């Protein structure tokens, strides 16, 4: 094998190359063709790019939102001022499909009357009944959607919990294998 100028440069800078190689191994795929080694960066799948972008947007929305007690988009959905794809409804609870689904089945379950329950962190003893109704409605949604044997219920609480709408809501997620740990 002939020593080329690039090979000499590589040998002179071996300590630096070693550090870079560790980084390359961690972040790239390495293919060897004869004497030339080409390093090709990992290419993120469109889904991972999309979910990274979506996660960032959700974080930004959560940081921008505030718990003012003012009417939310969910109040407009309850009042039927904004259309939604309703999955379940009774006198206390409304469940509808999320407009930005994170799973094949992604339904939001909300209390029709907020009563100060903007976050789970604000729950009081007077909210015990509606909290139980929300969980029971989540189970009904899972049955209707055919995912009762495997689903997840998530409540985001506050900005650090990525809550972007201050009207307590449960996310019912399913239709695919859930991963652990979440987040």
């Amino acid at each position: 094998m002939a020593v080329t100028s690039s090979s000499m440069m590589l040998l002179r800078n071996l300590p630096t190359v070693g550090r870079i190689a560790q980084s390359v191994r961690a972040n790239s795929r390495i293919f060897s063709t004869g004497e030339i080694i080409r390093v090709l960066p990992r290419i993120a799948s469109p889904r991972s790019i999309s979910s990274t972008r979506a996660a960032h947007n959700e974080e930004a929305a959560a940081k921008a939102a505030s718990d003012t007690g003012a009417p939310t988009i969910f109040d407009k959905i309850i009042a039927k001022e904004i259309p939604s794809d309703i999955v379940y409804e009774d006198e206390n609870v409304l469940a509808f499909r999320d407009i930005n689904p994170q799973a094949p089945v992604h339904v939001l379950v909300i209390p029709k009357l907020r009563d100060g329950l903007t976050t789970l962190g604000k729950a009081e003893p007077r909210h015990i009944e509606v909290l139980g109704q929300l969980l029971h409605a989540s189970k009904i949604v899972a049955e209707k959607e055919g995912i009762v044997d495997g689903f997840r219920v998530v409540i985001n609480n506050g900005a650090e919990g990525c809550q972007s709408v201050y009207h307590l809501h449960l996310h019912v997620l399913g239709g695919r294998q859930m991963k652990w740990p979440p987040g």
Side-chain angles (χ1 to χ4, degrees), residues 41 44 46-49 63 70-71 80 96 101 112 135 138 140 164:
R47 181 178 175 164
S48 68
I49 291 170
K63 288 177 183 172
K80 309 289 195 263
F96 53 93
K112 286 185 173 179
L135 285 173
S138 297
I140 293 170
S164 57

Side-chain angles (χ1 to χ4, degrees), residues 117 120 123-124 127-136 168 170:
L117 199 54
L120 185 59
E124 298 177 4
H127 298 121
I128 290 172
E129 188 173 340
V130 73
L131 291 170
Q133 291 169 342
L134 290 168
L135 285 173
H136 186 254
L168 180 70
L170 286 67

Side-chain angles (χ1 to χ4, degrees), residues 139-168:
K139 180 248 187 191
I140 293 170
V141 165
E143 286 175 337
K144 287 177 158 265
E145 295 297 307
I147 60 169
V148 76
D149 290 331
F151 66 101
R152 181 172 289 163
V153 177
V154 176
I155 300 174
N156 299 332
N157 190 81
E160 287 187 28
C162 219
Q163 182 177 2
S164 57
V165 179
Y166 283 89
H167 184 132
L168 180 70

Side-chain angles (χ1 to χ4, degrees), residues 43-110:
I43 298 177
S45 70
R47 181 178 175 164
S48 68
I49 291 170
S50 170
S51 54
T52 301
R53 192 176 306 125
H56 177 69
N57 291 343
E58 287 298 316
E59 289 173 23
K63 288 177 183 172
S66 59
D67 187 1
T68 63
T72 68
I73 190 168
F74 292 169
D75 293 303
K76 292 180 179 185
I77 291 171
I78 292 166
K80 309 289 195 263
E81 295 170 12
I82 295 177
S84 64
D85 186 359
I86 296 173
V87 175
Y88 173 78
E89 183 174 13
D90 65 25
E91 61 278 354
N92 299 312
V93 174
L94 181 67
F96 53 93
R97 295 190 194 290
D98 194 303
I99 60 168
N100 184 24
Q102 301 301 305
V105 174
H106 188 167
V107 177
L108 300 177
V109 181
I110 64 173

Side-chain angles (χ1 to χ4, degrees), residues 26-31 39-49:
N27 299 312
S28 304
R29 293 187 180 131
I30 301 173
F31 298 92
V39 179
L40 301 175
R42 288 185 185 201
I43 298 177
S45 70
R47 181 178 175 164
S48 68
I49 291 170

